[in-house]
Amino acid sequence: VLPGGEMPTDELIEFMTSNYQKRREAEKARKPIPIKMTDDQPVGLMFFGDPHVDSPQCDWPELRRCVAICQVTEGMRGVSLGDHTDNWIGRLQAEYAKSNATTKQAWQLADWFITSIDPLLIIKGNHDAWSGSGDPLEYIRGVGNIYENWQAMVELLWPNGKRAVLDVRHDHPGGSQWHPLHGQVKEARYNKSGLSADIYIAGHRHTWGMMTTEMQGRVVHMCRAKGFKGHGEYEEVKGFEAQHLGHTITAVFDPDPVSATGFISVFAEPQEAAEFLTYKRGRP
């Protein structure tokens, strides 16, 4: 009797049980992901909308400006909302005929972007997910940041007990031609994730918007960052409105605010956010 090459049934059952338990523990650890601040100083997070660094429509002058502001501002770190490159697959590979960069150069540019913004969090968008299990971003991202697929719930914790929950996604489900933040408003209202957040923010749709309101006894910020891919042939054919602002959305957190509305301040212009954060950190 020759031994078989397959795992015996009892070992297979133990293997499947162990794998499920690991996945369940990993999921629990991410609801939310705790991030402890070292002091009670105000901090800023610059949320970068979809960069698409190798696209001929990528607004490189604006991207470089935003990256530079993030780099030089004390207390500021970046968050990437996904779709770092075009990363075309299948029939969409024909789009490479219009590209100014090779696929190798695309990852070279993505490496520069991620390294430059010192990201606290990186979200994998649909274009990034097309890499499958051989995702170059797993190696590019380095250490000191969090890399999550499509969405992440993050809780910022200050020593003085102040905390902020962030619902960061490549996109929230639901859309409306009448409201650019329909998905964020719906998630904030119905809270399908099971955890109330202070900020709901996404990218993906190459449009932007900001909304702050009081909802169910809490101040809630709902935002979308446009990203850096400009109005191309696809948008023109579909008749989408061209937008030219809101490439990034920056949130400034003050853990010692004078009022509930002063805890989080949101900006569409990164330079204004940087100046505001610098003022906040310089207060006696």
Side-chain angles (χ1 to χ4, degrees):
V1 178
L2 296 175
E6 299 298 325
M7 190 182 300
T9 302
D10 56 343
E11 291 183 21
L12 178 59
I13 292 173
E14 288 298 326
F15 173 76
M16 296 296 291
T17 302
S18 176
N19 274 357
Y20 174 78
Q21 289 174 336
K22 287 181 173 63
R23 285 194 297 270
R24 184 173 59 183
E25 290 169 3
E27 183 180 359
K28 287 182 178 179
R30 287 165 167 79
K31 292 187 176 181
I33 301 170
I35 299 176
K36 295 181 179 180
M37 304 292 112
T38 57
D39 56 46
D40 291 324
Q41 280 271 56
V43 296
L45 290 177
M46 188 179 295
F47 296 88
F48 286 78
D50 307 20
H52 288 279
V53 290
D54 58 330
S55 170
Q57 279 85 42
C58 177
D59 188 343
W60 266 96
E62 181 64 16
L63 178 60
R64 295 177 68 180
R65 185 180 79 92
C66 294
V67 167
I69 294 171
C70 186
Q71 281 181 311
V72 302
T73 305
E74 185 178 353
M76 184 84 75
R77 292 189 68 176
V79 173
S80 178
L81 297 175
D83 284 0
H84 299 83
T85 68
D86 281 340
N87 202 25
W88 301 120
I89 61 168
R91 62 180 179 82
L92 292 174
Q93 286 182 321
E95 293 294 316
Y96 275 126
K98 305 171 186 176
S99 179
N100 297 324
T102 65
T103 53
K104 182 178 180 179
Q105 289 171 332
W107 296 118
Q108 183 180 349
L109 295 171
D111 189 5
W112 168 86
F113 169 70
I114 291 173
T115 304
S116 298
I117 67 172
D118 186 24
L120 179 70
L121 172 65
I122 304 169
I123 295 295
K124 180 188 292 189
N126 55 300
H127 284 252
D128 303 317
W130 291 341
S131 292
S133 59
D135 182 5
L137 292 176
E138 289 281 4
Y139 305 94
I140 289 174
R141 70 186 184 96
V143 296
N145 54 54
I146 303 164
Y147 184 38
E148 293 293 302
N149 184 33
W150 195 264
Q151 64 180 26
M153 297 290 289
V154 174
E155 186 173 26
L156 307 181
L157 304 167
W158 283 268
N160 67 0
K162 197 69 175 176
R163 57 186 59 206
V165 177
L166 285 57
D167 185 331
V168 186
R169 308 194 193 190
H170 189 57
D171 196 18
H172 291 82
S176 169
Q177 63 177 320
W178 310 113
H179 201 313
L181 301 173
H182 176 80
Q184 289 73 39
V185 173
K186 185 177 73 170
E187 184 61 39
R189 174 65 67 186
Y190 296 110
N191 192 24
K192 292 184 178 180
S193 66
L195 184 66
S196 297
D198 300 283
I199 296 179
Y200 297 83
I201 187 165
H204 185 55
R205 296 178 184 264
H206 303 176
T207 59
W208 72 280
M210 301 188 303
M211 176 181 174
T212 301
T213 188
E214 187 174 349
M215 185 182 295
Q216 298 166 342
R218 70 193 198 279
V219 176
V220 185
H221 303 266
M222 292 147 286
C223 313
R224 185 185 294 280
K226 172 186 174 294
F228 297 86
K229 192 170 185 178
H231 211 62
E233 179 183 359
Y234 175 81
E235 290 81 4
E236 291 179 1
V237 170
K238 296 296 183 180
F240 298 147
E241 178 185 4
Q243 294 187 341
H244 307 288
L245 303 171
H247 305 83
T248 64
I249 299 294
T250 304
V252 175
F253 302 83
D254 183 354
D256 188 23
V258 296
S259 66
T261 56
F263 175 36
I264 302 173
S265 302
V266 182
F267 300 82
E269 168 50 50
Q271 185 59 44
E272 287 186 0
E275 292 176 4
F276 183 71
L277 175 59
T278 301
Y279 156 73
K280 283 275 191 177
R281 290 175 68 88
R283 289 182 310 176

